[in-house]
Amino acid sequence: MRRLFAFHGGVKPPAHKAQSTALPIAVAPLFSEYVIPLHQSIGGAPRPLVADGDPVLKGQKIGGADGNVSAAVHAPTSGTVKAVEMRRMPHASGLSALCVVLEPDGDERWIERAPFDHKNASPDALRDYLRDTGIVGLGGAAFPSYLKLNPGKEGRLDVLVINGAECEPFITCDDTLMRERAATVIAGAAIMREMLAAKSVIIGIEDNKPEAIAAMRTAAQGRDMAVVAVPARYPAGGAKQLIRVLTGIEVPHGKRSTDYGVQCFNVGTAVGIHDAIALGAPLISRIVTVAGNVVHPRNYEVLFGTKMQDLLALAGKLPDTDRIIMGGPMMGLPMPGEEVPVVKATNCILAGSQALLPPPPPEMPCIRCGECALACPADLQPFELYWFSRAKLFGRAQEYHLFDCIECGCCAYVCPSNIPLVDYYRFAKSEIWAREREKEAADAARSRFEFRTKREAREKAEKAEKLQARTAIRSVTETDPAAAEKKALIAAAIARAQQQKAEVRPQNIDNLTLEQRAEISAIESRRARFHEMAKTAADEDT
Amino acid sequence: MNNSPYFRQPVSVQAVMLKVLAALLPGLAAYVWFFGAAILVQIALASSAALAGEAAMLMLRRRPLALFLSDGSALVTAWLLALSLPPLSPWWLTVVATLFAIIVVKHLYGGLGQNPFNPAMAAFCVVIVAYPQLLSQWPSPASGDFMNQWQMIFAGAREHVDALTMATPLDALRTGLHAGTGKAAAILGGTQGMGVLAGQGWEWVAVGYLAGGLWLIQQRIITWHIPAAFIAVFLAVASAFHLGSADRFAPPLFHLFSGGALLCAFFIATDPVSAATTPRGKLIYAAGIAFLTYIIRVFGAYPDGIAFATLLMNICVPLIDMWTQPPVFGHKK
């Protein structure tokens, strides 16, 4: 029996998972239009590689990774590019970003696919390959996976954690994936273990998923991987919480878990890596739970770019649905509309209604009861952060580790005063970021100004010096006849300097080929001859 | 449209406050059983005054009336204050004290959640300084003729007060030791109305508070830290003095079951608004109250020390909280 480590706090919201696991994963049919945002991962926004009217194949790269942190995006199916334009993104802000709008031809014609030999590939080649197949973390953060698939300073990792905890209510995409494609998950985990040279692999699954645990245990037989049931307690599926539960290691905020000898990947990511390495297929789809206020809650295999409204129609959205949430009820984002597309970070589409997700009762003052501190998995004092954020004492909020907050929502969940605590933290964080940006801009402006002042002062000083020197020369010649000799010396020096200047020093004469050198010496000799001739003519004139 | 989380546990300030009131019921029942229904009259008086004062202040401050009147916090203050004052106090004393608690200590500091001092204890300090005589008149057991009590509370029929009231054993002990009439054990033994551990009847009221307080811990309304630290330190200090000189200091259990010690441990020191909040902070805070309570009770001029001790430690709360911030995830040594 493996020893597990509890994390502090956490809550037990109603799971609502049974509804969407009654039926197996269904492959969503082909819809009439796909809107594929180019920016689907943390990091740089990929550049578009296609234009209006271009035909594309399924799996063809349509957005090239940009910069060190970025991941490519691909056509989810074959068809024609209708437009590359700004469309609303699946984000609470409702902001638009560049998307490729694709009209499928229905043929599903793939690009050429070939397995990738990761065992004999150089680390650079492997990194580029994973970036160009668009592999990102499918747990929700969409962090480019190639950045995590490097064994770190030690050259090898102690523990590779595969995250199948899935602690948010309603979401069952990982659960069904493990039930139905356990062998692929395990195969993906095995590939990652090779890449990371990991000593051990632990797959953590919340104990409310007995079917998934059983399927994974069967698939992992003879593989030397541990499939571990962890107590169901939100947010056990947070990477840091799961690492803590399984290994006892606490990775502090802002530190790379690799430096602590551990790395964590979602089960969906394991499948994505398997498909990319073993099949040569880029990441173009994922499992998405459609749940909440729908007639048939279910998991679908969905192509990226599928509009949420198409999936909601498939699942039978009920008429009293008043909002669409991407993710679960604890951390999900409210969507600006139903036409926004499914992206790599979309694990769940939750239809909400007044009955299902009732608005919170009126907010009361904080009574410092400390329930939030008992629930906080980051061991923070949430009510103190709330007081500081409210008072705009952002420095104090940072001293009390505001940025260690993972915004899991446990504090707001238990608050008897119904305070939207996480909103206060989001506000404080964005204010701090804004102030830092302002400060940076102000610093840059100040250093620019200081440099200019310095330069102007220097120029002024130089000018004054020159002027003084000139005046000195003039005064010397005018007043002191004895200094005539000195003047002559100066004049001679100036003449020498001018002569030196006149002698053209040829440049770029190093590392020349023999032919070039020969050519140069030919030119030089010609020039010398002409000089000689000119000199003779001048002598004859005088 | 609100942001995540969209789920909330069905808890409310009102539910918390109602549970605190419910937890006071066992102690209150024992109170009525031994000392008659006068305490119920006082609770009704204090509750009415608290709600009236709360409503007036909410209107002046333009706050939603129904929301805050129904939160139960004013009632908790009223009940704790009524349970701290002698049950035969004249009606105006209870009303004035309650209004002071609600208007000055609670609302002038910003209302619910903003008061640095425990409202009930601050008001208690005000009246005990202003009317020390009235606050030393505690009923003797079986003084429970309700008509007499009613007369004393409302009609100002205070001339019979000596017939119905007496010094509590805590008072008798102090007076006796002061006058040098004998040793602690002898004084307590000779005190009329001495029960098994402490004052007859009062010890059962204290047991009631203990039972209600344990239920609050079980209900996760309060954590164990404050009551445990209070009781442990209180017993430790009392034991140290008792062992040092049994002639001059009463046994620790006598102290624990006398006066407001257990009411303080479970209901007053645990008031979340004015108490320390970190686990270690709560221990320090409660230890401080326990120590000061004992010192004030034994060496001071007042019958009990909980109110002054609580206020003194209330002042220290911001400092205690600042010093005892627990390490956060990933930053533990």
Side-chain angles (χ1 to χ4, degrees):
Chain A
M1 199 60 203
R2 175 178 294 273
R3 184 185 160 202
L4 295 181
F5 303 81
F7 62 92
H8 176 266
V11 295
K12 281 197 156 208
H16 292 285
K17 284 179 189 269
Q19 298 93 321
S20 55
T21 49
L23 294 167
I25 298 169
V27 177
L30 219 50
F31 298 106
S32 59
E33 188 184 84
Y34 289 83
V35 178
I36 306 110
L38 288 165
H39 197 196
Q40 293 194 37
S41 70
I42 302 267
R47 313 165 304 287
L49 302 176
V50 290
D52 301 12
D54 285 358
V56 290
L57 294 173
K58 188 181 177 88
Q60 182 180 330
K61 193 154 77 172
I62 55 176
D66 180 55
N68 279 334
V69 182
S70 186
V73 290
H74 303 81
T77 182
S78 60
T80 315
V81 174
K82 267 166 59 181
V84 180
E85 62 185 23
M86 302 296 275
R87 290 282 183 105
R88 226 155 41 155
M89 294 288 280
H91 186 264
S93 66
L95 290 175
S96 297
L98 204 57
C99 297
V100 172
V101 183
L102 180 66
E103 188 178 69
D105 57 17
D107 296 341
E108 297 268 44
R109 273 177 296 122
W110 268 97
I111 49 161
E112 295 266 331
R113 282 168 291 168
F116 184 81
D117 182 9
H118 68 280
K119 284 177 192 161
N120 295 317
S122 71
D124 281 359
L126 176 62
R127 192 192 62 204
D128 290 351
Y129 179 74
L130 290 174
R131 189 183 62 196
D132 293 340
T133 43
I135 308 296
V136 302
L138 295 184
F143 189 78
S145 298
Y146 67 88
L147 291 163
K148 287 163 72 180
L149 281 167
N150 109 39
K153 293 173 201 151
E154 302 276 309
R156 61 177 299 164
L157 203 67
D158 289 330
V159 188
L160 168 63
V161 171
I162 303 296
N163 188 345
E166 199 169 49
C167 55
E168 271 238 25
F170 286 104
I171 308 179
T172 56
C173 59
D174 292 347
D175 185 1
T176 47
L177 183 76
M178 289 186 288
R179 290 188 199 194
E180 298 182 29
R181 302 178 194 176
T184 319
V185 176
I186 296 291
I191 293 171
M192 281 191 274
R193 163 190 257 177
E194 285 162 4
M195 290 178 184
L196 291 164
K199 284 182 209 156
S200 63
V201 179
I202 312 176
I203 298 154
I205 306 170
E206 272 196 351
D207 58 12
N208 58 5
K209 303 175 190 51
E211 296 91 344
I213 294 170
M216 292 288 283
R217 286 208 168 127
T218 311
Q221 256 165 20
R223 286 275 205 168
D224 187 28
M225 292 183 189
V227 177
V228 179
V230 301
R233 186 166 188 82
Y234 177 86
K240 289 185 175 172
Q241 278 66 39
L242 188 64
I243 289 173
R244 153 105 193 138
V245 168
L246 293 174
T247 67
I249 298 168
E250 288 191 3
V251 181
H253 165 73
K255 294 282 167 59
R256 284 152 32 102
S257 55
T258 310
D259 294 340
Y260 292 78
V262 56
Q263 197 49 273
C264 180
F265 292 90
N266 173 263
V267 286
T269 316
V271 171
I273 284 174
H274 167 269
D275 290 355
I277 299 289
L279 310 177
L283 190 66
I284 53 165
S285 69
R286 66 163 296 148
I287 313 297
V288 177
T289 308
V290 184
N293 203 37
V294 292
V295 185
H296 309 293
R298 188 169 191 176
N299 284 285
Y300 294 93
E301 177 157 9
V302 183
L303 297 173
F304 299 133
T306 304
K307 292 174 191 167
M308 289 187 183
Q309 63 199 22
D310 293 336
L311 287 173
L312 286 162
L314 215 57
K317 186 189 79 169
L318 290 167
D320 64 331
T321 300
D322 62 354
R323 78 196 102 158
I324 302 300
I325 290 157
M326 183 170 100
M330 296 300 286
M331 290 185 79
L333 299 170
M335 291 293 102
E338 293 181 13
E339 87 291 354
V340 296
V342 167
V343 291
K344 292 176 183 179
T346 312
N347 49 9
C348 178
I349 300 171
L350 184 62
S353 67
Q354 292 291 306
L356 192 67
L357 307 172
E363 184 180 337
M364 297 278 286
C366 170
I367 56 169
R368 293 160 48 93
C369 65
E371 275 299 312
C372 50
L374 291 177
C376 180
D379 304 77
L380 300 168
Q381 300 282 305
F383 62 92
E384 299 277 17
L385 294 175
Y386 156 75
W387 286 104
F388 292 139
S389 304
R390 210 184 134 102
K392 300 194 178 159
L393 293 170
F394 299 125
R396 298 284 284 153
Q398 274 176 285
E399 278 171 35
Y400 278 66
H401 306 282
L402 172 68
F403 283 96
D404 286 53
C405 167
I406 56 171
E407 299 181 20
C408 64
C410 287
C411 51
Y413 178 77
V414 299
C415 179
S417 291
N418 302 305
I419 300 169
L421 291 159
V422 186
D423 285 354
Y424 282 94
Y425 312 145
R426 291 185 188 118
F427 162 74
K429 286 180 185 176
S430 61
E431 281 293 303
I432 291 167
W433 286 323
R435 281 174 192 204
E436 272 170 15
R437 271 197 300 275
E438 268 170 35
K439 192 177 166 292
E440 269 167 34
D443 285 348
R446 185 171 354 95
S447 64
R448 249 196 331 267
F449 174 76
E450 280 168 359
F451 184 76
R452 200 184 78 172
T453 323
K454 224 181 270 174
R455 193 196 65 211
E456 282 172 352
R458 196 194 62 215
E459 283 172 354
K460 213 169 153 189
E462 281 173 358
K463 236 180 232 167
E465 226 168 79
K466 270 186 202 157
L467 191 70
Q468 209 178 3
R470 237 178 281 160
T471 326
I473 291 168
R474 208 177 299 143
S475 60
V476 163
T477 40
E478 277 165 11
T479 58
D480 191 359
E485 199 181 353
K486 205 173 178 182
K487 185 197 159 195
L489 280 173
I490 293 170
I494 291 170
R496 262 202 314 279
Q498 271 169 353
Q499 195 189 357
Q500 263 171 14
K501 217 173 175 184
E503 277 175 23
V504 180
R505 291 188 66 80
Q507 296 193 337
N508 300 330
I509 51 165
D510 306 319
N511 309 323
L512 295 179
T513 58
L514 277 173
E515 291 90 325
Q516 281 170 328
R517 276 186 219 161
E519 198 179 350
I520 289 170
S521 56
I523 292 168
E524 289 292 15
S525 62
R526 269 205 306 279
R527 231 152 113 195
R529 220 170 53 234
F530 288 140
H531 273 282
E532 204 57 47
M533 281 161 69
K535 215 175 174 183
T536 338
D539 285 347
E540 278 166 9
D541 278 359
T542 54
Chain B
M1 185 67 65
N2 60 308
N3 287 320
S4 66
Y6 310 94
F7 264 10
R8 283 175 174 279
Q9 219 169 33
V11 289
S12 64
V13 173
Q14 188 189 41
V16 171
M17 297 296 170
L18 290 181
K19 277 189 179 171
V20 173
L21 294 181
L24 284 168
L25 291 178
L28 185 60
Y31 210 131
V32 174
W33 177 261
F34 286 101
F35 302 100
I39 186 62
L40 298 178
V41 176
Q42 298 289 358
I43 282 191
L45 276 171
S47 300
S48 317
L51 291 176
E54 180 97 351
M57 290 310 287
L58 288 171
M59 272 193 279
L60 283 172
R61 296 179 59 219
R62 297 174 208 286
R63 298 295 148 106
L65 208 60
L67 181 66
F68 284 103
L69 270 184
S70 62
D71 69 19
S73 63
L75 289 180
V76 170
T77 299
W79 284 38
L80 291 177
L81 188 52
L83 289 169
S84 305
L85 296 171
L88 299 180
S89 305
W91 65 271
W92 54 265
L93 183 83
T94 308
V95 169
V96 165
T98 313
L99 288 177
F100 184 84
I102 297 294
I103 293 173
V104 178
V105 190
K106 184 179 182 185
H107 278 284
L108 290 191
Y109 279 95
L112 180 65
Q114 305 278 354
N115 46 292
F117 298 104
N118 183 311
M121 289 304 101
F124 183 90
C125 287
V126 168
V127 293
I128 201 171
V129 170
Y131 307 102
Q133 188 59 37
L134 288 177
L135 267 78
S136 64
Q137 294 168 344
W138 291 86
S140 48
S143 63
D145 178 57
F146 187 62
M147 275 325 290
N148 276 343
Q149 293 184 335
W150 183 270
Q151 289 283 318
M152 286 186 65
I153 295 171
F154 288 102
R158 310 292 295 181
E159 58 269 22
H160 305 302
V161 77
D162 289 340
L164 291 175
T165 63
M166 54 179 280
T168 59
L170 204 54
D171 254 344
L173 176 66
R174 190 208 335 274
T175 323
L177 285 172
H178 221 75
T181 48
K183 296 175 178 176
I187 296 170
L188 286 178
T191 302
Q192 191 201 351
M194 181 64 191
V196 182
L197 289 172
Q200 204 182 327
W202 296 117
E203 56 195 6
W204 286 105
V205 176
V207 168
Y209 293 147
L210 177 66
L214 292 175
W215 179 72
L216 280 185
I217 294 177
Q218 187 267 327
Q219 290 288 304
R220 286 178 49 112
I221 299 296
I222 58 174
T223 63
W224 58 269
H225 303 82
I226 288 179
F230 182 97
I231 292 170
V233 171
F234 197 68
L235 288 178
V237 175
S239 301
F241 278 100
H242 183 65
L243 289 176
S245 168
D247 290 349
R248 291 171 53 214
F249 301 100
L253 283 178
F254 166 79
H255 273 294
L256 188 64
F257 285 87
S258 290
L262 284 167
L263 183 67
C264 181
F266 288 98
F267 294 92
I268 291 168
T270 54
D271 163 37
V273 175
S274 57
T277 52
T278 63
R280 271 196 306 144
K282 284 177 182 173
L283 297 177
I284 296 170
Y285 170 79
I289 295 181
F291 177 76
L292 289 172
T293 298
Y294 184 85
I295 298 298
I296 295 170
R297 178 187 273 193
V298 172
F299 299 104
Y302 291 104
D304 202 350
I306 57 165
F308 292 108
T310 305
L311 292 194
L312 285 171
M313 289 311 290
N314 284 164
I315 300 172
C316 307
V317 160
L319 209 57
I320 295 173
D321 277 351
M322 208 172 76
W323 277 347
T324 57
Q325 282 300 309
V328 309
F329 188 91
H331 299 283
K332 287 164 200 156
K333 289 275 144 56

